[in-house]
Amino acid sequence: MNASMFACFRSGAGEVLQRPDYLADFSRVYESDIHLLAKLERGQTFKEPGTPSWEAFASGDWAEALRLIEDDRESVAAYFRDTSQRGLTFRRLRIVEYPVTPYLQWEMNVLRLRSELGEEIRVLDADTISDVERDAQVPEVVILGSSVMYAVIYDDELKGAGARRFTGPDQVRTTTQEFETLYAQGEEFSEFFEREIAPLEPPALNRPPSTVRRPQQ
C-alpha cells in the first residue's frame, strides 16, 4: 500500500475553520447538488456531549444508551430516505484497533442502525494500513462531492473543534480515490458487527473490555 496516501493533509495544510464555521460550510455544500458524502474515521475515543445516547453511555447506563439509539430509528430512516431521493450516497470507512475501546463499542451500535437504514459502512483493521501510517495516522476525512473536503480537528478533550478545509480539485479527486482504495479493502459492517461487537459485554469505562477478539484471519 502506498505510504504517501493522504499526503495533502500533512504539515497542517488547509484553511482552518473553527467549529461554527465548519458546520456552516458543511451545511452549505451538503445542501448543494452533490452525489457522495464519504467519511474516513480513525480515532478510537471521542467525546460527544449533547448526544443523548453518548451521555447515557458516558454515565455508565448502557441499556439506556442502546434504547436511545433505537429511539432515533425513525429520524435516521427519514434522513436516509431524503439522501436516497437526492441520489446522494453516504459511505463510511471505520478504522478499528484492538481491543475495541468502550467508545467504539458504543459507536458501532450507532453505526449498526445507520447501516440498516442506508449508510454504506465498512470496517478496516488498523494493522492493514500500518505502512500508510508509518509517519502519522490517517486523518479524519470528510469528502463532499468533488468540490470540498475537510480534515476534522479535535481539541485536547477529544471534542470536535473544527476542520481544515481543502478545495483543490486535484486534492479532492486524489483523496477520493485513496478513500475508495481503502474502502474496497474493508469488511462489510454487518459481518464485522455480528462477529466482533454483538458478543461483547456492556463496556466498562475504566478499563478495556475483556471479551474482545481479534478478527479471524
Side-chain angles (χ1 to χ4, degrees), residues 51-72 106 109-110 202-203:
T51 301
S53 60
W54 182 86
E55 297 277 8
F57 152 72
S59 72
D61 193 341
W62 184 240
E64 179 68 359
L66 296 181
R67 186 190 70 77
L68 289 167
I69 290 170
E70 186 61 30
D71 277 356
D72 283 340
W106 167 79
N109 280 275
V110 175

Side-chain angles (χ1 to χ4, degrees), residues 3-24:
S4 65
M5 293 178 78
F6 305 107
C8 71
F9 295 95
R10 298 173 186 173
S11 302
E15 177 190 2
V16 176
L17 301 178
Q18 298 302 311
R19 183 171 174 79
D21 295 330
Y22 163 53
L23 296 177

Side-chain angles (χ1 to χ4, degrees), residues 39-108:
K39 288 188 176 183
L40 170 60
E41 294 184 315
R42 178 61 178 87
Q44 305 299 295
T45 299
F46 295 113
K47 294 183 179 179
E48 301 191 21
T51 301
S53 60
W54 182 86
E55 297 277 8
F57 152 72
S59 72
D61 193 341
W62 184 240
E64 179 68 359
L66 296 181
R67 186 190 70 77
L68 289 167
I69 290 170
E70 186 61 30
D71 277 356
D72 283 340
R73 178 173 291 274
E74 182 48 43
S75 63
V76 175
Y79 171 79
F80 283 109
R81 285 195 296 268
D82 176 68
T83 60
S84 178
Q85 292 169 0
R86 289 180 52 187
L88 173 62
T89 298
F90 193 150
R91 190 168 292 155
R92 184 189 308 255
L93 179 63
R94 194 48 166 109
I95 308 298
V96 175
E97 295 178 9
Y98 296 87
V100 173
T101 62
Y103 170 87
L104 200 60
Q105 185 178 347
W106 167 79
E107 185 192 60
M108 287 295 175

Side-chain angles (χ1 to χ4, degrees), residues 4-214:
S4 65
M5 293 178 78
F6 305 107
C8 71
F9 295 95
R10 298 173 186 173
S11 302
E15 177 190 2
V16 176
L17 301 178
Q18 298 302 311
R19 183 171 174 79
D21 295 330
Y22 163 53
L23 296 177
D25 194 70
F26 177 97
S27 295
R28 176 185 61 80
V29 180
Y30 176 82
E31 294 299 333
S32 65
D33 185 23
I34 62 170
H35 300 286
L36 174 67
L37 168 53
K39 288 188 176 183
L40 170 60
E41 294 184 315
R42 178 61 178 87
Q44 305 299 295
T45 299
F46 295 113
K47 294 183 179 179
E48 301 191 21
T51 301
S53 60
W54 182 86
E55 297 277 8
F57 152 72
S59 72
D61 193 341
W62 184 240
E64 179 68 359
L66 296 181
R67 186 190 70 77
L68 289 167
I69 290 170
E70 186 61 30
D71 277 356
D72 283 340
R73 178 173 291 274
E74 182 48 43
S75 63
V76 175
Y79 171 79
F80 283 109
R81 285 195 296 268
D82 176 68
T83 60
S84 178
Q85 292 169 0
R86 289 180 52 187
L88 173 62
T89 298
F90 193 150
R91 190 168 292 155
R92 184 189 308 255
L93 179 63
R94 194 48 166 109
I95 308 298
V96 175
E97 295 178 9
Y98 296 87
V100 173
T101 62
Y103 170 87
L104 200 60
Q105 185 178 347
W106 167 79
E107 185 192 60
M108 287 295 175
N109 280 275
V110 175
L111 296 185
R112 182 188 192 186
L113 179 65
R114 297 177 67 89
S115 176
E116 290 175 357
L117 296 175
E119 187 170 337
E120 299 178 4
I121 306 174
R122 291 188 177 182
V123 179
L124 192 62
D125 186 338
D127 287 349
T128 305
I129 58 173
S130 59
D131 287 347
V132 179
E133 296 191 325
R134 192 174 303 156
D135 298 321
Q137 288 188 348
V138 296
E140 306 275 333
V141 177
V142 179
I143 303 169
L144 289 180
S146 59
S147 60
V148 65
M149 61 186 183
Y150 309 93
V152 182
I153 299 170
Y154 295 89
D155 64 19
D156 292 341
E157 295 184 346
L158 302 177
K159 300 175 184 177
R164 291 185 285 133
R165 181 175 183 263
F166 298 78
T167 57
D170 289 343
Q171 292 176 325
V172 177
R173 181 170 55 253
T174 298
T175 300
T176 302
Q177 292 170 347
E178 292 169 340
F179 171 87
E180 294 292 352
T181 295
L182 294 186
Y183 185 83
Q185 298 181 40
E187 180 179 12
E188 290 293 340
F189 181 83
S190 60
E191 297 176 5
F192 169 85
F193 186 93
E194 292 306 318
R195 187 187 68 247
E196 299 296 332
I197 304 300
L200 298 180
E201 300 172 354
L205 299 183
N206 60 349
R207 59 177 173 79
S210 59
T211 55
V212 294
R213 296 172 293 126
R214 294 288 299 174

